[in-house]
Amino acid sequence: MKKVILSSIAAAVLSVSLNATVYATVNGEDVNDQDIAVLMRAMQGAKFEELPADAKQKIVEQAVERKLLTTEATKSGVEKEKDYAAALKRIKADLALEVWMKKIYDGVKVDAKDVKDYYDKNADKFMQPATVKARHVLVKTEQEAKDVIKELDGLSGQKLNDKFVELATTKSTGPSGQGGGELGWFAANQMVKPFSDAAFALKKGEITKTPVQTQFGFHVILVEDTKAAEKATFDVVKAQIENGLKMEKFRILVADKAKTLRKNAKVTIK
């Protein structure tokens, strides 16, 4: 059975807050968190409180317009129409199903022993790939990259790091230049292959001795640190495993219930 996700209507009903923030009033009626939440569901992954001020203002303005249009629709008498009654019946049935399924899901319990057993028996699923922490200088030509390497020749340790940051800041054409060329930690599959191949061939504190060419230009890479592939600790993945096992139990419960109901029902496929 497909993974059950609460509909926007169910989510709105189940997330009602008694202390909702009021963003505006429309003819004496509040525009609050719930009105904003309806619009934010169309912006998957975005959080209202993290939006820039101008974006927040636009969302609030949209909520005000929606409130006005909703009031106008209600005044029009649409609630007395046949289509409205049919749509409301479908929505109520869908909402009942969603809320009922959420109650089943919330009632599913996962034994702590089962979570640990799953972790122990599925080590391959929790392997974290090898990563490196690196900086780079990105320039347009191979000769520019060779000149950067020449300036770094013979340096090591903190002197190498300091000089590399200086060159990245003053010469790099990439967006990371202003941060001293810092790229942070990354796995091999997070960078284009020529770059990854060169970076993962270096040891901590080493730089590339020849320019590395990619579609972005020519790179000089400094590896600041490395981490070997390792298994994620149980504490890190415990919640993930528990949620996965809970969802699987939920799916089985719902599938079994549907199977039982179908046996006792008269079903005709047309």
Side-chain angles (χ1 to χ4, degrees):
M1 183 175 180
K2 292 181 180 179
K3 180 178 179 180
V4 176
I5 302 174
L6 287 179
S7 67
S8 59
I9 297 172
V13 171
L14 296 171
S15 60
V16 171
S17 170
L18 297 177
N19 299 303
T21 301
V22 176
Y23 297 94
T25 58
V26 180
N27 296 324
E29 188 176 356
D30 290 343
V31 174
N32 59 29
D33 290 333
Q34 298 307 310
D35 300 301
I36 299 300
V38 171
L39 297 173
M40 289 302 298
R41 277 192 285 275
M43 303 170 63
Q44 292 186 0
K47 295 182 179 179
F48 181 76
E49 60 271 16
E50 296 177 357
L51 294 177
D54 59 338
K56 287 182 179 179
Q57 184 60 35
K58 287 181 180 179
I59 296 294
V60 172
E61 292 291 346
Q62 289 175 19
V64 168
E65 290 180 3
R66 192 172 188 278
K67 184 76 72 175
L68 289 168
L69 291 170
T70 299
T71 300
E72 185 64 20
T74 302
K75 286 180 179 179
S76 74
V78 69
E79 293 175 335
K80 299 177 181 178
E81 295 181 9
K82 185 177 179 180
D83 287 347
Y84 177 88
L88 182 60
K89 184 177 179 180
R90 289 194 299 272
I91 291 171
K92 289 173 71 174
D94 289 342
L95 181 57
L97 175 62
E98 303 264 7
V99 174
W100 178 72
M101 283 191 168
K102 185 178 184 299
K103 286 180 67 176
I104 294 176
Y105 180 81
D106 290 344
V108 173
K109 304 300 179 186
V110 177
D111 192 278
K113 183 178 181 301
D114 292 337
V115 177
K116 186 62 168 62
D117 286 346
Y118 187 90
Y119 175 78
D120 293 336
K121 294 175 181 177
N122 295 275
D124 58 313
K125 294 183 179 181
F126 306 109
M127 289 302 297
Q128 296 177 325
T131 55
V132 299
K133 183 182 180 185
R135 294 179 183 270
H136 78 138
V137 178
L138 174 63
V139 290
K140 294 181 179 180
T141 68
E142 183 177 14
Q143 186 56 54
E144 288 177 293
K146 287 181 177 179
D147 291 341
V148 169
I149 293 171
K150 186 176 181 180
E151 289 196 60
L152 296 168
D153 188 41
L155 299 178
S156 62
Q158 192 58 46
K159 288 185 178 180
L160 171 62
N161 191 277
D162 291 344
K163 187 64 175 178
F164 198 96
V165 170
E166 176 191 325
L167 293 175
T169 303
T170 58
K171 298 181 181 293
S172 186
T173 61
S176 64
Q178 293 306 306
E182 184 175 4
L183 297 172
W185 289 95
F186 57 87
N189 63 358
Q190 292 178 281
M191 297 292 181
V192 293
K193 193 174 187 304
F195 190 97
S196 287
D197 288 347
F200 279 83
L202 298 173
K203 295 179 181 178
K204 179 179 178 179
E206 290 184 339
I207 65 167
T208 46
K209 298 301 183 182
T210 58
V212 178
Q213 185 177 11
T214 70
Q215 64 264 45
F216 306 109
F218 292 85
H219 308 258
V220 180
I221 305 168
L222 165 66
V223 167
E224 295 183 301
D225 206 350
T226 64
K227 288 181 183 177
E230 61 181 358
K231 184 180 179 181
T233 64
F234 177 65
D235 287 341
V236 169
V237 298
K238 179 181 177 181
Q240 173 190 334
I241 297 172
E242 185 173 358
N243 289 336
L245 293 178
K246 182 172 182 176
M247 179 56 72
E248 186 58 29
K249 280 190 171 186
F250 168 72
R251 287 173 178 166
I252 293 171
L253 281 172
V254 174
D256 287 346
K257 183 65 175 177
K259 188 175 181 179
T260 299
L261 291 171
R262 189 172 182 117
K263 282 182 180 179
N264 299 319
K266 183 179 179 181
V267 179
T268 302
I269 305 295
K270 298 181 180 181

